[in-house]
Amino acid sequence: MKTQVGIIGGGPSGLLLSQLLHVQGIDTVVLEKHSRDYVLGRIRAGVLEHGFADLMREANCGARMDAEGEIHDGFYIAHDGVRDRIDLKGLTGGNSVIVYGQTELTRDLYDAREKMGGAVIHHAQNVQPHDITSDKPYLTYTKDGEAHRIDCDYIIGADGFHGVSRKSIPQDKIREFERVYPFGWLGVLSRTKPVSPELIYAKHERGFALCSLRSQTLSRYYIQVPLSDSVEDWSDDDFWAELKRRLPADVSSQLETGPSIEKSIAPLRSFVAEPMRYGNMFLAGDAAHIVPPTGARGLNSAASDIYYLYHAMLDHYKNGDDRGLEGYSQKALARVWKGQRFSWGMTTLLHRFPGNSDFDNKLQQTDLDYLLSSESAMKSLAENYVGLPF
Ligand code: FAS
Ligand code: PHB
């Protein structure tokens, strides 16, 4: 088989790029190791920047997002028993975010790929990129015991943090930067009415908590837990009781609890691999970078990678102009690192760090006091949260 752009990974990054390029007549094949249902079964991001939403619309995949997603003009920071609102719309001259789950967004992308007859190959096992630095790279994989080869012009590594693409780059050609946090997030999805119409990020001496949602009947909650915890340590009742302890009384008294329909613990890490290009393979999304979800930058950091790659491929195939491809890694990393800084900052501001001294904790409290007392500081936070320009 021959294609122009071979994409490893059928998550949001790979699917969105495949869809955008196909709409422009550029041929792609997506190789996904799992089934569509398995990919859709993963509960992940919930907040979309306006830049990501615009890309979904450009890919002819934004209709359900616009119909069912919720526009949020602000969010709350809870601390010391009270809540302060961050007025995203007012602080950014009119920008906001859309609350629309990654599961639904990925479903929309799969449906659009299917509708266009896009080539998405599931259960693709042992995917391997070959001759990456040549002008004839190719992919191999096995499916149902049969070996396959796909010759490409370019390979996109959109296969997430544990994928094969980044690991196919020689160690002396790639640098990795990482920070692992001494805690994780225990997340619960429940068919309950969300406790708040807007998200609440809570800083508490017992640990961080987040009240989010997927719809008016589907709530998403998180609490910071030690890395030593496992899901089995947390009954639903224990989760709800701890969440209530970390929220202001006027919020916890309104909290509707119910059985968890999904419960999992995600470790928190900051990670960047440089460069995001090796030969004719380009890394995008979680394959190249990971952020702690505190700033809702994970999926949104992938958006700018996809935007840059999409335009670079258009310039190459339509105009024979390779400046976008040549400049991709540097341009993508500039925005990735700003997302890293913001996510690290929100995580440092709002979580309980077990190793912190009393002085550290006073500084953390002062950081929050300063943020909530300074319009300039809130403007900075707001412009990062709604999404810096691509
Ligand atoms: P993904 O990891 O989503 O997709 C990669 C795809 O490649 C997967 O489908 C995988 O099966 C496939 N793949 C992997 N190796 C392969 C191989 N060798 N061959 C073929 N296919 C292969 N972000 C937020 O903004 N907010 C959140 O609250 C949030 N919560 C998260 C919770 C968890 C537990 C995790 C892991 C991530 C979370 N994220 C969150 C970040 C997340 O949303 C990612 O940013 C997003 O999934 C990135 O999308 P992709 O780059 O497509 O990577
Ligand atoms: C979510 O709804 O899953 C969510 C929202 C905002 C975040 C992290 C997770 O910062």
Side-chain angles (χ1 to χ4, degrees):
M1 186 195 274
K2 172 85 175 74
T3 189
Q4 290 171 303
V5 183
I7 299 174
I8 312 174
S13 296
L15 292 170
L16 179 53
L17 181 61
S18 169
Q19 177 68 10
L20 284 164
L21 292 176
H22 194 167
V23 167
Q24 296 295 331
I26 296 171
D27 191 43
T28 68
V29 175
V30 175
L31 295 178
E32 167 54 49
K33 72 176 179 183
H34 290 302
S35 69
R36 170 178 168 151
D37 287 345
Y38 182 93
V39 175
L40 293 175
R42 296 185 299 223
I43 308 298
R44 289 189 170 171
V47 172
L48 302 182
E49 296 177 357
H50 56 90
F52 198 113
D54 289 343
L55 273 180
M56 285 291 285
R57 296 180 187 112
E58 186 165 357
N60 303 329
C61 298
R64 201 160 69 96
M65 173 191 71
D66 287 328
E68 297 176 18
E70 287 191 11
I71 304 284
H72 281 212
D73 295 335
F75 66 82
Y76 292 92
I77 293 180
H79 62 97
D80 308 299
V82 298
R83 274 178 292 160
D84 285 79
R85 186 169 185 268
I86 303 293
D87 174 13
L88 294 174
K89 193 165 187 177
L91 290 162
T92 63
N95 277 325
S96 38
V97 293
I98 295 182
V99 173
Y100 187 65
Q102 177 174 325
T103 302
E104 300 318 312
L105 172 147
T106 309
R107 193 190 314 280
D108 296 339
L109 287 166
Y110 268 122
D111 289 348
R113 293 281 61 222
E114 205 168 300
K115 197 171 164 189
M116 285 191 76
V120 179
I121 297 168
H122 287 282
H123 303 294
Q125 301 305 313
N126 313 308
V127 176
Q128 280 297 333
H130 303 271
D131 293 356
I132 301 172
T133 56
S134 79
D135 60 359
K136 294 188 182 309
Y138 64 95
L139 294 166
T140 57
Y141 68 97
T142 56
K143 177 162 180 168
D144 305 328
E146 211 177 307
H148 299 270
R149 168 176 169 144
I150 303 176
D151 292 302
C152 324
D153 297 337
Y154 297 105
I155 292 172
I156 307 294
D159 46 352
F161 184 68
H162 300 290
V164 64
S165 59
R166 188 181 71 249
K167 294 165 188 161
S168 302
I169 299 175
Q171 282 301 311
D172 64 339
K173 302 292 184 191
I174 195 164
R175 279 192 69 187
E176 296 184 349
F177 305 82
E178 186 171 44
R179 170 166 298 196
V180 178
Y181 296 87
F183 39 72
W185 279 18
L186 167 61
V188 157
L189 193 65
S190 61
R191 293 196 195 289
T192 53
K193 178 168 174 41
V195 73
S196 167
E198 294 180 325
L199 273 62
I200 301 174
Y201 291 82
K203 176 181 181 293
H204 191 278
E205 62 185 10
R206 296 178 65 89
F208 170 84
L210 172 59
C211 302
S212 184
L213 60 130
R214 292 292 179 269
S215 70
Q216 285 311 308
T217 57
L218 195 58
S219 300
R220 181 69 168 161
Y221 295 105
Y222 298 93
I223 57 172
Q224 170 188 346
V225 293
L227 280 177
S228 52
D229 278 14
S230 66
V231 181
E232 294 69 32
D233 298 329
W234 286 90
S235 69
D236 286 1
D237 289 346
D238 291 342
F239 175 84
W240 294 120
E242 187 58 37
L243 177 63
K244 285 181 176 177
R245 290 186 195 103
R246 301 185 186 185
L247 297 172
D250 67 319
V251 177
S252 55
S253 61
Q254 300 300 313
L255 184 68
E256 182 184 328
T257 65
S260 60
I261 56 175
E262 194 272 349
K263 184 160 58 179
S264 55
I265 293 180
L268 269 59
R269 137 195 359 255
S270 298
F271 175 86
V272 180
E274 291 189 0
M276 289 173 58
R277 173 183 189 177
Y278 177 64
N280 283 313
M281 183 169 74
F282 299 83
L283 302 181
D286 277 19
H289 43 77
I290 297 282
V291 284
T294 326
R297 288 312 82 204
L299 180 56
N300 292 306
S301 296
S304 45
D305 299 348
I306 298 313
Y307 177 85
Y308 299 141
L309 278 173
Y310 166 50
H311 285 281
M313 290 295 176
L314 282 188
D315 290 347
H316 168 78
Y317 283 109
K318 306 276 188 194
N319 314 318
D321 178 349
D322 283 354
R323 285 175 297 178
L325 291 174
E326 298 307 326
Y328 166 70
S329 180
Q330 186 181 0
K331 192 166 187 182
L333 283 166
R335 191 172 184 276
V336 161
W337 274 109
K338 292 184 180 74
Q340 291 285 332
R341 185 204 66 80
F342 177 66
S343 305
W344 163 82
M346 283 274 279
T347 303
T348 304
L349 180 71
L350 298 172
H351 287 74
R352 189 81 184 161
F353 283 73
N356 265 13
S357 66
D358 290 347
F359 184 80
D360 295 327
N361 290 331
K362 287 300 281 182
L363 274 188
Q364 186 188 48
Q365 186 58 41
T366 305
D367 268 346
L368 184 60
D369 292 348
Y370 170 67
L371 168 67
L372 298 176
S373 63
S374 160
E375 178 154 356
S376 308
M378 281 190 282
K379 266 183 188 284
S380 172
L381 182 145
E383 73 170 359
N384 278 278
Y385 194 88
V386 299
L388 296 177
F390 287 168

